[in-house]
Amino acid sequence: MYYNIPLNFKEGVYGISTLSSCGGDMLEMELDEDYNILTYYIPGKIIPGYEWRSQINIYSIPEDELDGTLEALYNSNGQLEKVTTKNNNKERLLYINYKDAEDAKSQIKKFAETNADTIIEKICACKDKVSRLFTEKFNDGGCLDFHAKIGTKEQKDAVVAKSYSTDNPGDYPSEMIYGDNEALMVMVLCADRDEMDFWELATGIMEKRIEEKAVAKLDKAEDFEFLATEYD
C-alpha cells in the first residue's frame, strides 16, 4: 500500500483522501501490510548507492491507522511541515520537515527536554532504595533507542553476590523506562546529519536533565551512582 503526500499544497491540515489525487513532488510512503512497517525516503536527501542513509522505517503501524487518521500539515508557504497519525488519540509523528539546521536544533532540543521530563516522572515513581540509575542509548543509523533503568540496592547486592560488575545495566532486572522513542527517531533522522550530530545533541540533553532532575528525588543508597551508557 502506497501513500503519496505532496511536498507542496495549500496551507492547512489535510487527510490522505484529499491528497491522494494530487501531483507534483511527493513524500512517498510504503506500508508493508503483512508486518505493519511503514517505509519512506526523506525527500531531497536520497544519494544513489547510499539510499539507506535517508530511509526511515516505522513499525507497528496498521493500515486502518493510516487510512483513518493520517494528516499532513502545510505552512503558510504551502510547504509540507509534518505528517502524523493518531494512536489512541495520541499524535504519532511520521515525518518532519525542518526549515534549516537551526530550526532542527531548536525543535530537537525542545523535544529532548520534554521527553526527558516524561522519563524523569516515571523514574521518580520508584520508592525503593536505589544504588544505580542508568541511561542507555543505541544508534546504528536506522534504529535509535534511548531509555533509563533503575538498579535498586537489593538488585545491586544480588549482582555483587554473583561477582558481576555493578555497572552493567543488563544485569539488573528492572524494566526499561521510555519516553517517546519513535518521535525521537523521526526527529533526529529527518534532520540533516551533515550539519551536526543531532543524536548526540538530543541524548546529551536528556542525560544531563535526567541526572540533574531525577537523582535528587530518589531514595539513594550510600553507594549510589548515575551512569550514562551506550550499547551495541
Side-chain angles (χ1 to χ4, degrees):
M1 178 71 70
Y2 290 90
Y3 297 84
N4 293 327
I5 300 167
L7 298 182
N8 295 279
F9 199 61
K10 295 177 293 184
E11 179 182 6
V13 180
Y14 302 93
I16 191 62
S17 59
T18 303
L19 302 171
S20 58
S21 60
C22 297
D25 294 332
M26 296 284 181
L27 168 64
E28 300 177 354
M29 294 180 159
E30 180 180 2
L31 177 67
D32 184 325
E33 297 162 81
D34 293 328
Y35 296 98
N36 291 338
I37 302 173
L38 185 72
T39 300
Y40 66 87
Y41 296 92
I42 303 169
K45 297 181 181 178
I46 302 172
I47 302 173
Y50 296 90
E51 289 86 356
W52 59 270
R53 294 194 67 191
S54 64
Q55 180 177 326
I56 292 182
N57 297 311
I58 299 175
Y59 299 88
S60 302
I61 183 160
E63 182 179 350
D64 59 355
E65 180 181 320
L66 286 167
D67 290 343
T69 68
L70 186 146
E71 291 184 334
L73 169 66
Y74 294 86
N75 63 23
S76 59
N77 295 320
Q79 296 172 323
L80 178 63
E81 282 198 351
K82 67 177 182 177
V83 178
T84 64
T85 61
K86 283 190 172 62
N87 185 290
N88 295 323
N89 292 319
K90 179 184 177 183
E91 184 176 274
R92 188 174 185 183
L93 181 67
L94 305 184
Y95 168 78
I96 186 167
N97 179 33
Y98 300 109
K99 297 173 185 175
D100 50 33
E102 282 304 311
D103 181 38
K105 183 177 179 180
S106 174
Q107 292 203 51
I108 290 172
K109 179 178 182 294
K110 182 178 179 180
F111 172 82
E113 291 171 347
T114 301
N115 202 50
D117 288 344
T118 299
I119 295 172
I120 289 164
E121 183 178 356
K122 295 176 183 179
I123 290 170
C124 293
C126 176
K127 303 305 178 186
D128 297 322
K129 191 167 286 291
V130 177
S131 286
R132 295 288 185 275
L133 175 58
F134 301 97
T135 58
E136 292 188 277
K137 64 182 179 181
F138 170 80
N139 180 3
D140 68 357
C143 178
L144 282 64
D145 175 41
F146 183 90
H147 60 264
K149 195 173 190 183
I150 289 171
T152 66
K153 185 179 187 305
E154 182 179 355
Q155 291 169 347
K156 186 250 182 182
D157 290 343
V159 170
V160 171
K162 294 178 182 179
S163 300
Y164 294 162
S165 166
T166 58
D167 297 339
N168 180 7
D171 292 327
Y172 293 80
S174 301
E175 292 184 1
M176 298 173 187
I177 302 171
Y178 290 99
D180 189 342
N181 258 357
E182 187 172 83
L184 173 65
M185 178 192 75
V186 171
M187 293 192 75
V188 168
L189 293 183
C190 283
D192 190 343
R193 70 183 71 186
D194 293 329
E195 293 285 347
M196 68 175 295
D197 192 333
F198 291 101
W199 172 245
E200 287 302 318
L201 170 69
T203 56
I205 289 169
M206 291 188 291
E207 288 165 353
K208 182 178 179 181
R209 198 171 181 90
I210 290 169
E211 182 176 16
E212 290 179 345
K213 298 183 70 174
V215 170
K217 297 179 181 179
L218 292 173
D219 182 8
K220 297 181 289 297
E222 291 183 2
D223 61 353
F224 174 85
E225 289 185 58
F226 170 81
L227 298 169
T229 66
E230 187 169 4
Y231 69 95
D232 53 25

